Amino acid sequence: MPELAFTPTRPLPYGRQFISEADVAAVVASLHGDYLTQGPTVGEFEKQFAAYIGAQYAVAVSNGTAALHLCALALGVQPGQRVITSPLTFAASANCVRYCGGEVHFADIDPATGLIDLAKVRALLEAHPKGYFTGLIPVDFAGLAVNLEEARRLADAFGLWIIEDSCHSPGGFFIDSAGKEQQCGNGNFADLAIFSFHPVKHIATGEGGMVTTNSEALYHHLLRLRTHGITRDPADLVREPDGGWYMEMQELGYNYRLPDLNCALGLSQLARADEGLARRRQLAAQYDAAFAHVDGLTVLAPGRPGHAYHLYVVQVADRKGLYDFLKTKQIYSQVHYIPVHRMPYYEGLGWREGDFPLAEEYYAHCLSIPLFPTLTDEEQGYVVACIKEFIERHAERSEASLPQH
Ligand SMILES: *Cc1c(COP(=O)(O)O)cnc(C)c1O
């Protein structure tokens, strides 16, 4: 084994935020301003984010989970209603249905992409009377966009709404049947789309989230739900105002607002979003090349156009072995995800091991390795060298059991 020419000076997690001096200055300026929350920076962030994504409207909220909850509320999810999502996602994609008393159902993944398999969604829909399911929550897993044109066709045939969970994919796109790029969250096919600004995601605001849509009605409803169900808009009032202070709480909403402070950081981050995305794609292409001829390691969905690369996922036979080995090298990889239906809470609702075997098989072998804009070429080279070292040491053991796609 050749000596490594480079050792990193910092731990290497699977993802991390990139805070520039301009970001710091933007937050400081916000602190000196008149509004810590409910000021004009919120609307400015919404406007610029909507433009970036290519949607007509955006509503900033306190985190991605709140975004999902508000979407489920705005679409009227009721106790007993059934909604389909992917088992391979963060629990919040499913939990939002539970917040409203709805039932979560799953369709298994396509193991070549990690995305919900729309053929399996169709089979599930066809196995029940029309109206049995009310909604679909596809997830642009790892940054690869779901084909929402296809999803929309299904949704229209079966009377479903769509919430696109785009947390992994700001700047990602799929190519539609006319050969056109369709950006994640642009609202052309989904009723609503959501994003998160958690530090591991593309754009960081500490905590934060956004809903995008092309529906003016849903937009206005989301604005009201975000702030207690209260409106001051004269056009929406049901009674005559008795003074300048007048407002109405018209339905049960929440305080899911995003402060101006966070929006100031978001605006500054958004200005660098394309740069960060380009670096993610460059790093992913370099990983693809480095791993192309490594026996015993499979890359998830390499070289797909439009991939936004929130995660770079490899699959190996001895996943725990690789995870533990990398940890000794200061490389903190992560597993995305333990399938949602295998969580004790969802098993308590009746789901069992074996229900979605492809997601379970995927989970058994997947590992997200460091991918973030400030990862240097040297650091990436070190990650590659460590992974190759592990694979070479375990060559014999790995051969038998690696999934082949
Ligand atoms: C991060 C994430 C969320 C939740 O976002 P928070 O801002 O952490 O609440 C939801 N869905 C997916 C797929 C995510 O990755």
Side-chain angles (χ1 to χ4, degrees):
M1 193 55 51
E3 280 291 299
L4 287 174
F6 171 87
T7 50
T9 55
R10 57 175 182 171
L12 299 175
Y14 81 90
R16 63 169 295 152
Q17 73 274 21
F18 170 25
I19 301 296
S20 69
E21 286 310 312
D23 293 343
V24 173
V27 173
V28 170
S30 172
L31 283 169
H32 288 306
D34 290 331
Y35 296 92
L36 293 183
T37 190
Q38 291 181 280
T41 318
V42 182
E44 189 56 32
F45 184 35
E46 291 172 338
K47 197 175 106 197
Q48 291 194 24
F49 190 83
Y52 177 69
I53 291 302
Q56 285 180 47
Y57 306 101
V59 177
V61 292
S62 39
N63 54 65
T65 305
L68 283 160
H69 186 190
L70 289 193
C71 288
L73 287 166
L75 292 165
V77 175
Q78 302 289 321
Q81 285 189 350
R82 300 176 192 88
V83 175
I84 302 168
T85 190
S86 173
L88 186 61
T89 185
F90 185 56
S93 315
N95 293 351
C96 64
V97 176
R98 299 293 304 143
Y99 296 156
C100 301
E103 267 180 35
V104 181
H105 291 251
F106 303 95
D108 211 346
I109 62 162
D110 172 353
T113 61
L115 303 178
I116 193 168
D117 185 341
L118 293 176
K120 293 202 175 70
V121 174
R122 172 178 288 281
L124 183 61
L125 291 167
E126 285 174 349
H128 296 87
K130 209 171 153 178
Y132 189 85
F133 294 102
T134 55
L136 177 65
I137 307 180
V139 180
D140 299 316
F141 178 75
L144 188 61
V146 170
N147 186 326
L148 283 183
E149 186 182 27
E150 259 180 54
R152 185 77 256 172
R153 243 181 268 128
L154 262 184
D156 287 345
F158 290 88
L160 310 180
W161 49 252
I162 299 176
I163 302 171
E164 178 186 11
D165 185 335
S166 310
C167 283
H168 295 186
S169 61
F173 61 84
F174 73 94
I175 312 266
D176 71 11
S177 58
K180 210 167 154 252
E181 289 178 9
Q182 294 287 348
Q183 278 224 84
C184 296
N186 71 6
N188 287 346
F189 302 101
D191 298 273
L192 296 163
I194 70 108
F195 296 87
S196 163
F197 306 129
H198 183 277
V200 296
K201 310 287 165 73
H202 287 57
I203 294 163
T205 65
E207 298 284 353
M210 193 76 85
V211 184
T212 56
T213 184
N214 289 345
S215 159
E216 191 180 354
L218 286 172
Y219 169 65
H220 284 294
H221 196 181
L222 289 165
L223 288 179
R224 199 166 65 210
L225 286 168
R226 171 179 71 178
T227 184
H228 309 282
I230 287 174
T231 185
R232 287 188 164 77
D233 187 339
D236 294 335
L237 299 178
V238 298
R239 294 195 200 138
E240 266 310 299
D242 59 352
W245 59 84
Y246 188 77
M247 52 80 162
E248 287 174 0
M249 186 201 136
Q250 297 181 330
E251 66 180 321
L252 191 61
Y254 295 80
N255 178 354
Y256 280 166
R257 295 186 299 260
L258 188 63
D260 282 57
L261 270 183
N262 303 66
C263 291
L265 179 54
L267 272 169
S268 182
Q269 290 257 310
L270 187 59
R272 279 203 324 281
D274 279 333
E275 203 183 301
L277 180 60
R279 178 61 180 159
R280 284 174 182 276
R281 286 177 171 154
Q282 181 184 42
L283 287 164
Q286 288 171 184
Y287 273 139
D288 285 352
F291 295 137
H293 304 292
V294 177
D295 289 334
L297 180 146
T298 304
V299 169
L300 179 70
R304 301 263 178 158
H307 202 312
Y309 284 107
H310 165 55
L311 303 174
Y312 191 89
V313 183
V314 299
Q315 293 163 289
V316 294
D318 182 9
R319 188 268 312 279
K320 183 176 185 305
L322 179 56
Y323 173 91
D324 290 341
F325 176 77
L326 292 178
K327 214 163 150 183
T328 69
K329 303 285 188 184
Q330 296 273 89
I331 298 167
Y332 299 94
S333 62
Q334 189 50 278
V335 169
H336 300 95
Y337 291 97
I338 300 170
V340 178
H341 71 284
R342 295 298 331 276
M343 291 293 175
Y345 172 78
Y346 282 95
E347 291 199 351
L349 295 171
W351 301 102
R352 289 290 173 263
E353 182 169 13
D355 283 345
F356 305 99
L358 297 173
E360 292 168 26
E361 171 69 10
Y362 175 90
Y363 162 65
H365 298 288
C366 68
L367 201 60
S368 305
I369 62 174
L371 181 70
F372 48 89
T374 62
L375 186 72
T376 66
D377 286 350
E378 290 74 22
E379 288 169 334
Q380 184 184 35
Y382 169 79
V383 173
V384 168
C386 291
I387 291 173
K388 284 186 173 172
E389 182 186 335
F390 177 84
I391 297 287
E392 278 160 30
R393 278 202 211 161
H394 295 74
E396 309 81 34
R397 268 208 281 144
S398 305
E399 251 152 48
S401 51
L402 187 78
Q404 292 298 332
H405 308 308

